[in-house]
Short mmCIF file of all heavy atoms in Angstrom, two decimals:
data_model
loop_
_atom_site.label_atom_id
_atom_site.label_comp_id
_atom_site.label_asym_id
_atom_site.label_seq_id
_atom_site.Cartn_x
_atom_site.Cartn_y
_atom_site.Cartn_z
N ARG V 1 119.74 49.58 319.48
CA ARG V 1 118.92 48.86 318.51
C ARG V 1 119.76 48.25 317.39
O ARG V 1 119.45 47.17 316.92
CB ARG V 1 117.87 49.79 317.95
CG ARG V 1 116.83 50.16 318.98
CD ARG V 1 115.86 51.17 318.45
NE ARG V 1 115.12 51.75 319.55
CZ ARG V 1 113.82 51.60 319.71
NH1 ARG V 1 113.11 50.96 318.83
NH2 ARG V 1 113.22 52.13 320.74
N VAL V 2 120.80 48.97 317.01
CA VAL V 2 121.69 48.44 315.97
C VAL V 2 122.37 47.17 316.46
O VAL V 2 122.47 46.18 315.74
CB VAL V 2 122.73 49.51 315.54
CG1 VAL V 2 123.77 48.92 314.62
CG2 VAL V 2 122.03 50.69 314.89
N LEU V 3 122.83 47.20 317.71
CA LEU V 3 123.47 46.01 318.28
C LEU V 3 122.49 44.85 318.41
O LEU V 3 122.85 43.70 318.16
CB LEU V 3 124.08 46.34 319.64
CG LEU V 3 125.29 47.29 319.62
CD1 LEU V 3 125.71 47.63 321.05
CD2 LEU V 3 126.44 46.65 318.87
N LEU V 4 121.26 45.16 318.78
CA LEU V 4 120.25 44.10 318.89
C LEU V 4 119.96 43.48 317.52
O LEU V 4 119.85 42.25 317.39
CB LEU V 4 118.96 44.65 319.49
CG LEU V 4 119.04 45.07 320.96
CD1 LEU V 4 117.77 45.79 321.38
CD2 LEU V 4 119.30 43.87 321.84
N ALA V 5 119.85 44.31 316.51
CA ALA V 5 119.60 43.80 315.15
C ALA V 5 120.77 42.96 314.67
O ALA V 5 120.59 41.91 314.04
CB ALA V 5 119.34 44.96 314.20
N ALA V 6 122.00 43.39 314.98
CA ALA V 6 123.19 42.64 314.58
C ALA V 6 123.23 41.28 315.28
O ALA V 6 123.57 40.26 314.67
CB ALA V 6 124.45 43.44 314.88
N LYS V 7 122.88 41.27 316.55
CA LYS V 7 122.87 40.00 317.30
C LYS V 7 121.81 39.06 316.75
O LYS V 7 122.03 37.85 316.62
CB LYS V 7 122.62 40.27 318.79
CG LYS V 7 122.76 39.05 319.65
CD LYS V 7 124.16 38.49 319.59
CE LYS V 7 124.34 37.35 320.55
NZ LYS V 7 125.69 36.79 320.50
N ALA V 8 120.64 39.61 316.40
CA ALA V 8 119.57 38.79 315.83
C ALA V 8 120.04 38.19 314.51
O ALA V 8 119.77 37.00 314.23
CB ALA V 8 118.31 39.63 315.62
N LYS V 9 120.74 38.97 313.70
CA LYS V 9 121.26 38.46 312.42
C LYS V 9 122.28 37.35 312.66
O LYS V 9 122.28 36.33 311.97
CB LYS V 9 121.88 39.60 311.62
CG LYS V 9 122.31 39.21 310.25
CD LYS V 9 122.82 40.41 309.47
CE LYS V 9 123.24 39.99 308.07
NZ LYS V 9 123.70 41.13 307.28
N GLU V 10 123.13 37.54 313.65
CA GLU V 10 124.12 36.51 314.00
C GLU V 10 123.43 35.22 314.43
O GLU V 10 123.84 34.12 314.03
CB GLU V 10 125.01 37.04 315.14
CG GLU V 10 126.03 36.06 315.64
CD GLU V 10 126.75 36.58 316.89
OE1 GLU V 10 127.01 37.80 316.97
OE2 GLU V 10 127.04 35.76 317.77
N LEU V 11 122.38 35.35 315.22
CA LEU V 11 121.63 34.16 315.65
C LEU V 11 120.96 33.47 314.47
O LEU V 11 120.92 32.23 314.41
CB LEU V 11 120.60 34.54 316.71
CG LEU V 11 121.19 34.89 318.08
CD1 LEU V 11 120.11 35.45 318.98
CD2 LEU V 11 121.87 33.69 318.70
N ASP V 12 120.43 34.25 313.53
CA ASP V 12 119.83 33.65 312.33
C ASP V 12 120.85 32.80 311.58
O ASP V 12 120.54 31.70 311.12
CB ASP V 12 119.29 34.74 311.39
CG ASP V 12 118.00 35.36 311.89
OD1 ASP V 12 117.30 34.73 312.71
OD2 ASP V 12 117.69 36.49 311.45
N THR V 13 122.07 33.31 311.46
CA THR V 13 123.13 32.58 310.77
C THR V 13 123.46 31.28 311.51
O THR V 13 123.58 30.22 310.91
CB THR V 13 124.39 33.45 310.64
OG1 THR V 13 124.04 34.62 309.90
CG2 THR V 13 125.52 32.72 309.95
N ARG V 14 123.59 31.37 312.83
CA ARG V 14 123.89 30.17 313.62
C ARG V 14 122.76 29.14 313.51
O ARG V 14 123.01 27.94 313.40
CB ARG V 14 124.11 30.52 315.09
CG ARG V 14 125.43 31.24 315.32
CD ARG V 14 125.70 31.46 316.77
NE ARG V 14 126.08 30.19 317.37
CZ ARG V 14 126.23 30.01 318.68
NH1 ARG V 14 126.02 31.00 319.51
NH2 ARG V 14 126.59 28.85 319.15
N ILE V 15 121.53 29.61 313.53
CA ILE V 15 120.38 28.72 313.41
C ILE V 15 120.40 28.01 312.06
O ILE V 15 120.15 26.80 311.98
CB ILE V 15 119.06 29.48 313.64
CG1 ILE V 15 118.93 29.88 315.12
CG2 ILE V 15 117.86 28.66 313.18
CD1 ILE V 15 117.83 30.88 315.39
N ARG V 16 120.69 28.74 310.99
CA ARG V 16 120.75 28.12 309.65
C ARG V 16 121.83 27.05 309.62
O ARG V 16 121.62 25.95 309.09
CB ARG V 16 121.01 29.17 308.57
CG ARG V 16 119.78 29.94 308.17
CD ARG V 16 119.99 30.72 306.88
NE ARG V 16 121.14 31.60 306.90
CZ ARG V 16 121.14 32.84 307.40
NH1 ARG V 16 120.04 33.35 307.90
NH2 ARG V 16 122.23 33.57 307.37
N HIS V 17 123.00 27.34 310.20
CA HIS V 17 124.08 26.35 310.19
C HIS V 17 123.72 25.12 311.03
O HIS V 17 123.96 23.99 310.62
CB HIS V 17 125.38 26.97 310.69
CG HIS V 17 125.97 27.93 309.72
ND1 HIS V 17 126.84 28.92 310.09
CD2 HIS V 17 125.80 28.07 308.39
CE1 HIS V 17 127.18 29.62 309.04
NE2 HIS V 17 126.57 29.13 307.99
N LEU V 18 123.16 25.35 312.20
CA LEU V 18 122.76 24.22 313.04
C LEU V 18 121.65 23.40 312.39
O LEU V 18 121.65 22.17 312.49
CB LEU V 18 122.33 24.72 314.42
CG LEU V 18 123.46 25.25 315.30
CD1 LEU V 18 122.89 25.94 316.54
CD2 LEU V 18 124.42 24.14 315.69
N THR V 19 120.73 24.06 311.73
CA THR V 19 119.66 23.35 311.03
C THR V 19 120.25 22.49 309.91
O THR V 19 119.84 21.34 309.73
CB THR V 19 118.64 24.36 310.45
OG1 THR V 19 118.07 25.09 311.54
CG2 THR V 19 117.54 23.65 309.68
N ALA V 20 121.21 23.04 309.18
CA ALA V 20 121.86 22.27 308.12
C ALA V 20 122.58 21.05 308.69
O ALA V 20 122.49 19.95 308.14
CB ALA V 20 122.83 23.16 307.35
N MET V 21 123.27 21.24 309.80
CA MET V 21 123.96 20.12 310.43
C MET V 21 122.96 19.06 310.90
O MET V 21 123.16 17.86 310.69
CB MET V 21 124.81 20.61 311.61
CG MET V 21 126.03 21.40 311.17
SD MET V 21 126.91 22.20 312.52
CE MET V 21 127.13 20.90 313.69
N ARG V 22 121.86 19.50 311.52
CA ARG V 22 120.84 18.57 311.99
C ARG V 22 120.26 17.77 310.83
O ARG V 22 120.12 16.55 310.89
CB ARG V 22 119.72 19.34 312.69
CG ARG V 22 118.60 18.42 313.19
CD ARG V 22 117.28 19.13 313.35
NE ARG V 22 116.84 19.67 312.07
CZ ARG V 22 116.02 20.71 311.96
NH1 ARG V 22 115.59 21.34 313.03
NH2 ARG V 22 115.64 21.14 310.77
N ASP V 23 119.94 18.47 309.74
CA ASP V 23 119.35 17.80 308.60
C ASP V 23 120.33 16.80 307.97
O ASP V 23 119.93 15.72 307.54
CB ASP V 23 118.88 18.82 307.56
CG ASP V 23 117.71 19.65 308.06
OD1 ASP V 23 117.05 19.25 309.04
OD2 ASP V 23 117.46 20.71 307.47
N GLY V 24 121.60 17.16 307.94
CA GLY V 24 122.62 16.24 307.42
C GLY V 24 122.73 14.98 308.26
O GLY V 24 122.82 13.87 307.74
N LEU V 25 122.69 15.15 309.57
CA LEU V 25 122.76 13.99 310.47
C LEU V 25 121.52 13.12 310.33
O LEU V 25 121.63 11.89 310.30
CB LEU V 25 122.91 14.46 311.92
CG LEU V 25 124.25 15.08 312.26
CD1 LEU V 25 124.20 15.71 313.65
CD2 LEU V 25 125.36 14.05 312.17
N ARG V 26 120.37 13.74 310.22
CA ARG V 26 119.14 12.95 310.02
C ARG V 26 119.19 12.19 308.71
O ARG V 26 118.78 11.04 308.64
CB ARG V 26 117.92 13.86 310.05
CG ARG V 26 117.55 14.29 311.43
CD ARG V 26 116.29 15.11 311.43
NE ARG V 26 115.91 15.42 312.79
CZ ARG V 26 115.06 16.38 313.11
NH1 ARG V 26 114.50 17.11 312.18
NH2 ARG V 26 114.77 16.60 314.37
N HIS V 27 119.68 12.84 307.66
CA HIS V 27 119.78 12.15 306.38
C HIS V 27 120.74 10.97 306.50
O HIS V 27 120.43 9.87 306.05
CB HIS V 27 120.24 13.10 305.28
CG HIS V 27 120.46 12.39 303.99
ND1 HIS V 27 119.42 12.03 303.16
CD2 HIS V 27 121.59 11.91 303.41
CE1 HIS V 27 119.90 11.36 302.13
NE2 HIS V 27 121.22 11.29 302.26
N ALA V 28 121.91 11.20 307.09
CA ALA V 28 122.89 10.12 307.23
C ALA V 28 122.33 8.95 308.03
O ALA V 28 122.63 7.79 307.74
CB ALA V 28 124.16 10.65 307.89
N ALA V 29 121.48 9.23 308.99
CA ALA V 29 120.91 8.18 309.83
C ALA V 29 119.95 7.27 309.07
O ALA V 29 119.80 6.10 309.41
CB ALA V 29 120.19 8.79 311.04
N VAL V 30 119.30 7.78 308.04
CA VAL V 30 118.31 6.98 307.31
C VAL V 30 118.73 6.66 305.87
O VAL V 30 118.00 5.97 305.16
CB VAL V 30 116.93 7.67 307.29
CG1 VAL V 30 116.39 7.84 308.70
CG2 VAL V 30 116.98 8.98 306.56
N CYS V 31 119.87 7.14 305.45
CA CYS V 31 120.31 6.96 304.07
C CYS V 31 120.55 5.47 303.77
O CYS V 31 121.22 4.78 304.54
CB CYS V 31 121.59 7.75 303.84
SG CYS V 31 122.18 7.62 302.14
N PRO V 32 120.00 4.97 302.67
CA PRO V 32 120.16 3.56 302.35
C PRO V 32 121.51 3.20 301.70
O PRO V 32 121.79 2.03 301.48
CB PRO V 32 119.02 3.30 301.36
CG PRO V 32 118.79 4.60 300.70
CD PRO V 32 119.08 5.65 301.75
N ALA V 33 122.36 4.20 301.42
CA ALA V 33 123.66 3.91 300.80
C ALA V 33 124.51 3.04 301.72
O ALA V 33 124.42 3.15 302.95
CB ALA V 33 124.39 5.21 300.48
N ALA V 34 125.33 2.18 301.12
CA ALA V 34 126.17 1.28 301.90
C ALA V 34 127.14 2.05 302.80
O ALA V 34 127.42 1.64 303.93
CB ALA V 34 126.95 0.35 300.98
N SER V 35 127.64 3.17 302.32
CA SER V 35 128.50 4.03 303.13
C SER V 35 128.09 5.47 302.85
O SER V 35 127.57 5.79 301.78
CB SER V 35 129.97 3.79 302.79
OG SER V 35 130.51 4.82 302.02
N HIS V 36 128.32 6.33 303.80
CA HIS V 36 127.92 7.73 303.64
C HIS V 36 128.62 8.38 302.45
O HIS V 36 128.04 9.22 301.77
CB HIS V 36 128.22 8.53 304.91
CG HIS V 36 127.49 8.03 306.10
ND1 HIS V 36 126.14 7.74 306.10
CD2 HIS V 36 127.91 7.76 307.35
CE1 HIS V 36 125.78 7.32 307.28
NE2 HIS V 36 126.83 7.31 308.07
N MET V 37 129.85 7.98 302.18
CA MET V 37 130.58 8.59 301.07
C MET V 37 130.08 8.12 299.71
O MET V 37 130.43 8.68 298.69
CB MET V 37 132.09 8.34 301.22
CG MET V 37 132.69 9.07 302.42
SD MET V 37 132.19 10.81 302.61
CE MET V 37 132.98 11.57 301.22
N GLU V 38 129.23 7.11 299.68
CA GLU V 38 128.58 6.70 298.43
C GLU V 38 127.29 7.46 298.18
O GLU V 38 126.71 7.38 297.11
CB GLU V 38 128.28 5.19 298.47
CG GLU V 38 129.52 4.33 298.45
CD GLU V 38 129.19 2.86 298.59
OE1 GLU V 38 128.01 2.48 298.39
OE2 GLU V 38 130.10 2.09 298.91
N CYS V 39 126.84 8.21 299.17
CA CYS V 39 125.59 8.95 299.08
C CYS V 39 125.84 10.34 298.48
O CYS V 39 126.59 11.13 299.06
CB CYS V 39 124.96 9.09 300.47
SG CYS V 39 123.54 10.20 300.50
N PRO V 40 125.24 10.66 297.34
CA PRO V 40 125.46 11.97 296.73
C PRO V 40 125.02 13.13 297.63
O PRO V 40 125.68 14.16 297.67
CB PRO V 40 124.62 11.94 295.45
CG PRO V 40 124.23 10.53 295.25
CD PRO V 40 124.36 9.81 296.54
N THR V 41 123.93 12.96 298.35
CA THR V 41 123.47 14.03 299.23
C THR V 41 124.47 14.28 300.35
O THR V 41 124.82 15.42 300.65
CB THR V 41 122.08 13.69 299.82
OG1 THR V 41 121.16 13.51 298.74
CG2 THR V 41 121.59 14.78 300.75
N PHE V 42 124.95 13.22 300.97
CA PHE V 42 125.92 13.36 302.06
C PHE V 42 127.21 14.00 301.54
O PHE V 42 127.79 14.87 302.19
CB PHE V 42 126.20 12.02 302.73
CG PHE V 42 127.08 12.13 303.94
CD1 PHE V 42 126.54 12.55 305.15
CD2 PHE V 42 128.43 11.83 303.87
CE1 PHE V 42 127.34 12.67 306.28
CE2 PHE V 42 129.23 11.94 304.99
CZ PHE V 42 128.69 12.35 306.20
N ARG V 43 127.65 13.59 300.37
CA ARG V 43 128.88 14.16 299.80
C ARG V 43 128.70 15.65 299.52
O ARG V 43 129.62 16.44 299.73
CB ARG V 43 129.27 13.40 298.55
CG ARG V 43 129.76 11.98 298.90
CD ARG V 43 130.06 11.16 297.71
NE ARG V 43 131.21 11.72 297.01
CZ ARG V 43 131.72 11.20 295.92
NH1 ARG V 43 131.18 10.12 295.40
NH2 ARG V 43 132.76 11.74 295.34
N ARG V 44 127.51 16.05 299.05
CA ARG V 44 127.25 17.49 298.84
C ARG V 44 127.28 18.24 300.16
O ARG V 44 127.80 19.35 300.26
CB ARG V 44 125.91 17.69 298.14
CG ARG V 44 125.95 17.45 296.65
CD ARG V 44 124.70 17.96 295.95
NE ARG V 44 123.45 17.45 296.50
CZ ARG V 44 122.85 16.33 296.12
NH1 ARG V 44 123.39 15.57 295.18
NH2 ARG V 44 121.72 15.95 296.67
N LEU V 45 126.73 17.63 301.22
CA LEU V 45 126.75 18.26 302.53
C LEU V 45 128.18 18.46 303.03
O LEU V 45 128.51 19.52 303.56
CB LEU V 45 125.95 17.43 303.54
CG LEU V 45 124.44 17.49 303.40
CD1 LEU V 45 123.79 16.39 304.23
CD2 LEU V 45 123.93 18.84 303.82
N VAL V 46 129.01 17.46 302.87
CA VAL V 46 130.40 17.56 303.31
C VAL V 46 131.13 18.64 302.52
O VAL V 46 131.84 19.47 303.09
CB VAL V 46 131.12 16.19 303.18
CG1 VAL V 46 132.62 16.33 303.39
CG2 VAL V 46 130.53 15.20 304.16
N ALA V 47 130.93 18.65 301.20
CA ALA V 47 131.58 19.67 300.36
C ALA V 47 131.09 21.06 300.72
O ALA V 47 131.88 22.01 300.82
CB ALA V 47 131.32 19.38 298.89
N ALA V 48 129.79 21.22 300.96
CA ALA V 48 129.23 22.52 301.31
C ALA V 48 129.74 22.98 302.67
O ALA V 48 129.99 24.17 302.86
CB ALA V 48 127.72 22.46 301.29
N ALA V 49 129.88 22.06 303.60
CA ALA V 49 130.38 22.43 304.92
C ALA V 49 131.80 23.00 304.80
O ALA V 49 132.15 23.95 305.50
CB ALA V 49 130.37 21.23 305.85
N GLY V 50 132.59 22.45 303.89
CA GLY V 50 133.94 22.93 303.69
C GLY V 50 134.01 24.32 303.06
O GLY V 50 134.97 25.05 303.28
N THR V 51 132.99 24.67 302.30
CA THR V 51 133.00 25.97 301.63
C THR V 51 132.11 27.00 302.32
O THR V 51 132.09 28.16 301.92
CB THR V 51 132.52 25.85 300.17
OG1 THR V 51 131.16 25.42 300.17
CG2 THR V 51 133.38 24.90 299.38
N GLY V 52 131.36 26.58 303.33
CA GLY V 52 130.46 27.50 304.02
C GLY V 52 129.14 27.69 303.31
O GLY V 52 128.39 28.60 303.62
N ALA V 53 128.81 26.85 302.35
CA ALA V 53 127.58 26.99 301.57
C ALA V 53 126.53 25.98 302.00
O ALA V 53 125.90 25.35 301.18
CB ALA V 53 127.89 26.83 300.09
N LEU V 54 126.32 25.84 303.29
CA LEU V 54 125.42 24.81 303.79
C LEU V 54 123.94 25.08 303.53
O LEU V 54 123.16 24.15 303.41
CB LEU V 54 125.61 24.63 305.30
CG LEU V 54 126.82 23.82 305.71
CD1 LEU V 54 126.98 23.83 307.22
CD2 LEU V 54 126.72 22.40 305.21
N ASP V 55 123.52 26.32 303.46
CA ASP V 55 122.09 26.62 303.35
C ASP V 55 121.42 25.94 302.16
O ASP V 55 120.39 25.30 302.31
CB ASP V 55 121.86 28.13 303.26
CG ASP V 55 122.23 28.84 304.55
OD1 ASP V 55 122.32 28.17 305.60
OD2 ASP V 55 122.43 30.06 304.50
N ALA V 56 122.00 26.06 300.98
CA ALA V 56 121.38 25.48 299.78
C ALA V 56 121.38 23.96 299.84
O ALA V 56 120.40 23.31 299.47
CB ALA V 56 122.10 25.96 298.53
N VAL V 57 122.46 23.39 300.33
CA VAL V 57 122.55 21.93 300.37
C VAL V 57 121.64 21.37 301.46
O VAL V 57 121.08 20.29 301.31
CB VAL V 57 124.01 21.50 300.58
CG1 VAL V 57 124.13 20.00 300.66
CG2 VAL V 57 124.87 22.03 299.45
N ALA V 58 121.45 22.11 302.53
CA ALA V 58 120.56 21.64 303.59
C ALA V 58 119.14 21.50 303.07
O ALA V 58 118.44 20.56 303.43
CB ALA V 58 120.59 22.61 304.77
N ALA V 59 118.73 22.39 302.21
CA ALA V 59 117.40 22.29 301.62
C ALA V 59 117.28 21.01 300.81
O ALA V 59 116.25 20.33 300.86
CB ALA V 59 117.11 23.51 300.76
N ALA V 60 118.33 20.65 300.09
CA ALA V 60 118.32 19.41 299.31
C ALA V 60 118.26 18.20 300.24
O ALA V 60 117.55 17.24 299.97
CB ALA V 60 119.55 19.33 298.42
N ALA V 61 118.98 18.24 301.35
CA ALA V 61 118.95 17.12 302.30
C ALA V 61 117.57 16.96 302.90
O ALA V 61 117.08 15.85 303.07
CB ALA V 61 119.98 17.34 303.40
N ARG V 62 116.92 18.08 303.23
CA ARG V 62 115.58 17.99 303.79
C ARG V 62 114.62 17.36 302.81
O ARG V 62 113.74 16.60 303.18
CB ARG V 62 115.07 19.38 304.20
CG ARG V 62 115.64 19.86 305.50
CD ARG V 62 114.91 21.08 306.01
NE ARG V 62 115.01 22.22 305.13
CZ ARG V 62 116.01 23.10 305.11
NH1 ARG V 62 117.01 22.95 305.95
NH2 ARG V 62 116.02 24.11 304.28
N SER V 63 114.79 17.64 301.54
CA SER V 63 113.86 17.10 300.55
C SER V 63 114.08 15.61 300.30
O SER V 63 113.20 14.95 299.79
CB SER V 63 113.96 17.88 299.23
OG SER V 63 115.21 17.62 298.62
N THR V 64 115.24 15.07 300.68
CA THR V 64 115.50 13.65 300.47
C THR V 64 115.44 12.84 301.76
O THR V 64 115.60 11.64 301.74
CB THR V 64 116.89 13.42 299.84
OG1 THR V 64 117.89 13.95 300.71
CG2 THR V 64 116.98 14.08 298.48
N THR V 65 115.19 13.50 302.90
CA THR V 65 115.11 12.81 304.18
C THR V 65 113.65 12.54 304.51
O THR V 65 112.86 13.47 304.57
CB THR V 65 115.74 13.66 305.30
OG1 THR V 65 117.11 13.89 304.97
CG2 THR V 65 115.66 12.95 306.64
N PRO V 66 113.29 11.27 304.71
CA PRO V 66 111.89 10.99 305.05
C PRO V 66 111.50 11.67 306.36
O PRO V 66 112.28 11.72 307.30
CB PRO V 66 111.86 9.48 305.22
CG PRO V 66 113.12 8.97 304.66
CD PRO V 66 114.10 10.09 304.65
N ARG V 67 110.31 12.20 306.42
CA ARG V 67 109.81 12.87 307.61
C ARG V 67 108.86 11.94 308.36
O ARG V 67 108.12 11.18 307.75
CB ARG V 67 109.03 14.14 307.23
CG ARG V 67 109.85 15.16 306.56
CD ARG V 67 110.49 16.01 307.59
NE ARG V 67 111.17 17.12 306.94
CZ ARG V 67 112.00 17.88 307.56
NH1 ARG V 67 112.28 17.67 308.81
NH2 ARG V 67 112.60 18.86 306.94
N LYS V 68 108.91 12.02 309.67
CA LYS V 68 107.95 11.29 310.48
C LYS V 68 106.62 12.00 310.37
O LYS V 68 106.55 13.22 310.37
CB LYS V 68 108.37 11.27 311.95
CG LYS V 68 109.40 10.27 312.30
CD LYS V 68 109.57 10.28 313.80
CE LYS V 68 110.48 9.16 314.24
NZ LYS V 68 110.63 9.16 315.69
N ARG V 69 105.56 11.24 310.28
CA ARG V 69 104.23 11.84 310.26
C ARG V 69 103.74 11.97 311.70
O ARG V 69 103.91 11.06 312.50
CB ARG V 69 103.27 10.99 309.46
CG ARG V 69 103.59 11.00 308.00
CD ARG V 69 102.48 10.36 307.25
NE ARG V 69 102.38 11.10 305.99
CZ ARG V 69 101.33 11.06 305.24
NH1 ARG V 69 100.29 10.38 305.58
NH2 ARG V 69 101.30 11.73 304.11
N ARG V 70 103.15 13.09 311.97
CA ARG V 70 102.59 13.29 313.30
C ARG V 70 101.21 12.66 313.39
O ARG V 70 100.45 12.69 312.43
CB ARG V 70 102.43 14.79 313.58
CG ARG V 70 103.71 15.49 313.81
CD ARG V 70 103.41 16.89 314.22
NE ARG V 70 104.64 17.65 314.40
CZ ARG V 70 104.67 18.88 314.78
NH1 ARG V 70 103.55 19.54 315.01
NH2 ARG V 70 105.81 19.51 314.92
N ALA V 71 100.93 12.13 314.56
CA ALA V 71 99.59 11.60 314.80
C ALA V 71 98.64 12.79 314.96
O ALA V 71 99.03 13.84 315.46
CB ALA V 71 99.59 10.76 316.07
N PRO V 72 97.39 12.63 314.52
CA PRO V 72 96.45 13.74 314.70
C PRO V 72 96.27 14.07 316.17
O PRO V 72 96.31 13.19 317.03
CB PRO V 72 95.14 13.20 314.10
CG PRO V 72 95.46 11.91 313.47
CD PRO V 72 96.82 11.48 313.89
N ARG V 73 96.11 15.36 316.45
CA ARG V 73 95.91 15.79 317.84
C ARG V 73 94.49 15.48 318.28
O ARG V 73 93.55 15.66 317.54
CB ARG V 73 96.14 17.30 317.96
CG ARG V 73 97.57 17.66 317.78
CD ARG V 73 97.69 19.13 317.88
NE ARG V 73 98.58 19.44 318.97
CZ ARG V 73 98.87 20.64 319.37
NH1 ARG V 73 98.32 21.67 318.79
NH2 ARG V 73 99.70 20.85 320.35
N ARG V 74 94.41 15.02 319.49
CA ARG V 74 93.09 14.78 320.09
C ARG V 74 92.64 16.05 320.78
O ARG V 74 93.43 16.74 321.39
CB ARG V 74 93.14 13.65 321.11
CG ARG V 74 93.30 12.32 320.47
CD ARG V 74 93.12 11.28 321.51
NE ARG V 74 92.98 9.99 320.87
CZ ARG V 74 92.85 8.88 321.52
NH1 ARG V 74 92.86 8.88 322.83
NH2 ARG V 74 92.71 7.74 320.87
N ARG V 75 91.37 16.30 320.72
CA ARG V 75 90.84 17.49 321.39
C ARG V 75 89.95 17.12 322.52
O ARG V 75 89.33 16.19 322.65
CB ARG V 75 90.06 18.35 320.39
CG ARG V 75 91.00 18.88 319.36
CD ARG V 75 90.26 19.77 318.43
NE ARG V 75 91.22 20.16 317.39
CZ ARG V 75 91.14 21.26 316.73
NH1 ARG V 75 90.18 22.10 316.95
NH2 ARG V 75 92.01 21.55 315.82
#
C-alpha cells in the first residue's frame, strides 16, 4: 500500500507538470504578442520551467488563455 500511494503521488506530480506544459502551449498558440518572448505569461512559464515551479505559473496561464465554449448537449 505504501508503494501504491507513492506511485499515485508520483503520477500526480507528472500530471501537474504535463498540465502546465499543455497550458503553456495552448497559451503560446493563441497569444497575441508579436513574439513569445514579448509575452509576460510565456516568459513566466519559461522561467518557472527552469526552476521547477510550474504549478503556480500554469494557473496564471490558464486564466489568460481563452477557453473554447462547449455546445450544449442534446438529450
Side-chain angles (χ1 to χ4, degrees):
R1 291 175 195 245
V2 172
L3 292 175
L4 292 172
K7 187 62 174 180
K9 186 176 181 178
E10 177 187 323
L11 288 172
D12 285 339
T13 300
R14 288 186 74 188
I15 290 168
R16 280 194 306 275
H17 289 157
L18 290 170
T19 299
M21 289 171 50
R22 179 204 60 205
D23 292 343
L25 290 170
R26 284 184 176 163
H27 175 78
V30 299
C31 182
S35 105
H36 299 313
M37 293 314 291
E38 292 176 16
C39 172
T41 301
F42 186 79
R43 290 176 67 179
R44 281 193 306 271
L45 286 167
V46 170
T51 64
L54 281 174
D55 293 341
V57 179
R62 282 192 298 275
S63 69
T64 60
T65 300
R67 297 273 187 193
K68 280 187 173 181
R69 291 190 144 198
R70 288 186 182 181
R73 290 179 121 183
R74 288 189 167 178
R75 295 183 185 207

